[in-house]
Amino acid sequence: MPAKYGKGRISKAVIISAVPPIMVQSESNPEGVPLSVFDEIRKGTGFTRSQYFYDFPIPFYGWNREGQTVQEGIKQNWWRQGMMGSVLSHYEGIKAFSETDFTEDLKSLDIPVLVLHGEDDQIVPYHQAPKSAKLLKNGKLISYPGFPHGMPTTEAETINNDILAFIK
């Protein structure tokens, strides 16, 4: 996180489809995602890996929405990358992205931060983005109606144009 390692070395940051401030549901985060969802992801990546990595890109890229078409090359590349990862790395990564509380990190950032999030993100609920932007001292939120979690791939031109405008 730039808050810890980038003080004085980073002038701007962009977070895209990101999990902060915290994803998992708790007493302090009642609108979060239930831990059982992450347990299912761990089960899939641990015990039914091949099928799990074959199926997961469908909601990730929003291909289960009307009018969307599965892009086989992207789907197969997703599967290839997933199968290359270790079970332990996936397990620990799921815990890290779902249970780490980034609230204080976000609050400590004093650089401009662009928060980009698709409003039809089926992986990281959209409500995460406004919460992150609100915690930032100098945050700007751009949301995209209908865009999926994997929007940097499926909507690269739009995303890249907004990032370029922000960094100029």
Side-chain angles (χ1 to χ4, degrees):
M1 202 71 207
K4 186 173 182 180
Y5 300 106
K7 286 272 189 204
R9 300 184 324 167
I10 297 172
S11 61
K12 292 182 178 181
V14 179
I15 57 177
I16 305 173
S17 304
V19 300
I22 185 167
M23 274 196 62
V24 74
Q25 186 177 58
S26 65
E27 284 185 28
S28 62
N29 189 34
E31 69 281 356
V33 177
L35 185 61
S36 61
V37 171
F38 302 110
D39 290 340
E40 285 298 312
I41 296 170
R42 282 187 269 269
K43 182 178 173 185
T45 61
F47 298 100
T48 58
R49 296 174 63 71
S50 186
Q51 191 64 49
Y52 183 82
F53 288 120
Y54 183 79
D55 293 338
F56 194 81
I58 302 299
F60 188 92
Y61 292 109
W63 294 329
N64 56 349
R65 300 300 196 213
E66 187 175 328
Q68 299 298 313
T69 303
V70 173
Q71 297 177 39
E72 283 300 323
I74 294 170
K75 185 177 181 184
Q76 289 177 24
N77 190 45
W78 174 278
W79 180 87
R80 178 191 61 80
Q81 291 178 66
M83 293 304 292
M84 288 174 58
S86 77
V87 173
L88 180 59
S89 294
H90 289 141
Y91 183 88
E92 290 178 352
I94 294 159
K95 181 172 181 57
F97 83 71
S98 65
E99 297 178 37
T100 302
D101 187 346
F102 294 101
T103 300
E104 294 307 313
D105 291 303
L106 293 170
K107 287 179 180 179
S108 73
L109 291 172
D110 54 9
I111 59 172
V113 179
L114 179 61
V115 179
L116 305 177
H117 211 101
E119 294 177 14
D120 192 32
D121 189 327
Q122 298 172 65
I123 308 304
V124 177
Y126 170 73
H127 71 264
Q128 294 294 102
K131 286 172 26 179
S132 289
K134 186 176 180 181
L135 290 168
L136 293 160
K137 292 174 186 163
N138 193 2
K140 176 183 178 184
L141 171 63
I142 299 177
S143 64
Y144 304 94
F147 282 22
H149 186 73
M151 67 184 188
T153 300
T154 61
E155 306 294 340
E157 185 174 353
T158 300
I159 302 304
N160 289 338
N161 286 336
D162 287 340
I163 292 170
L164 286 172
F166 174 70
I167 62 174
K168 288 184 178 177

